[in-house]
Amino acid sequence: MQFFNYFHQGQASLGAYINDKHYALSDWIFDHENLIIHSIDDLLQADQAKTLIDRLRPLTGQDLPTLEGDFDFLPAVLEPEKILCVGLNYQDHIDEVDRSDAREEPTIFSKFNNALAAAGQKIPFPSYGSQLDYEAELVAIVGEEIKDIRAKDFRTDMIFAYTAGNDLSLRDRQFASSQWLVGKTGDGFAPVGPYVSLSDQLDPQQLAISCQVNGQTVQTASTQQMIFSIPEIVSYLSRHMTLKPGDLIFTGTPDGVIAGKKAEDRVWLQPGDQVCVTIEGIGRLENTIA
């Protein structure tokens, strides 16, 4: 079972994705647990959330009501307290963008909630720049409050789940100053989802990750190439701030971005381009630049 957030009949709801079919998980939870859970956010904030999640695990399509009619995906988390991002976390990406000054500690930046976008949502092309780039990334969803842990003390269930993300970046604004923020947190610059896979369902350091633009593969790698692993990233962040359930952690992109090409070979994203991030064990995140 994978989870997803969706909008249907005027409200947000929590869904289950099993064997290529969509189910109305919110309805089942209300009928069987007497709880109102409209999203992954609600699930993470519920009393004894991990107990509830464990009760949902064995459910099959035969147990759940089918999701009928049209619906729209929503971001994998609707209102995270923090959207944290790791830059320069694949050596081939460091090499392609000529950042030999990358440090021994992770490079951390952030996005704001205005950047969140759902699978299928059109991403508005920004009016304040022109060099729009893709970055396929594995995204971790924090599952509990985490403060000041060592990497060796990391537990798999500290991360609730993993999903696909696209760290869209406006390069001419990202590098306009020493701070990356304005080039990273434009409206819709953090598509995430649609499906999330529970953290014990996969090995986050052994996943194939790729990006396609208009059907052409432009990035392909494995998360085993990360410089800083998930336990190291979580430990580092938790020493500097308290992580909360629902926080999103973008874990870095592999090589193949437009900014890594020779200047004469760079073709930046344009309105009408279709961008698809695919991660093994999670699924496809597709968006169109509008």
Side-chain angles (χ1 to χ4, degrees), residues 185-236:
T185 195
D187 293 344
F189 276 24
V192 283
Y195 307 116
V196 310
S197 296
L198 294 175
S199 59
D200 62 356
Q201 293 178 332
L202 47 74
D203 181 347
Q205 307 300 164
Q206 297 290 332
L207 303 176
I209 180 171
S210 64
C211 180
Q212 297 80 35
V213 176
N214 299 326
Q216 179 181 354
T217 298
V218 291
Q219 288 184 286
T220 182
S222 169
T223 56
Q224 67 181 339
Q225 298 169 251
M226 285 185 189
I227 297 170
F228 299 101
S229 67
I230 299 297
E232 290 169 328
I233 292 168
V234 171
S235 171
Y236 182 84

Side-chain angles (χ1 to χ4, degrees), residues 122-185:
K122 292 184 178 180
I123 309 301
F125 191 88
S127 61
Y128 50 91
S130 60
Q131 298 177 358
L132 186 61
D133 206 347
Y134 49 77
E135 291 193 8
E137 305 205 12
L138 176 69
V139 179
I141 303 172
V142 175
E144 64 182 61
E145 186 170 302
I146 309 172
K147 175 66 175 175
D148 200 19
I149 68 160
R150 296 173 296 180
K152 68 178 184 178
D153 296 324
F154 173 83
R155 304 188 321 273
T156 298
D157 65 353
M158 288 179 169
I159 297 301
F160 162 67
Y162 295 93
T163 191
N166 188 348
D167 173 17
L168 288 166
S169 306
L170 194 62
R171 302 301 189 189
D172 44 345
R173 302 313 305 161
Q174 178 183 351
F175 300 121
S177 74
S178 62
Q179 303 299 310
W180 293 0
L181 183 66
V182 295
K184 287 289 192 175
T185 195

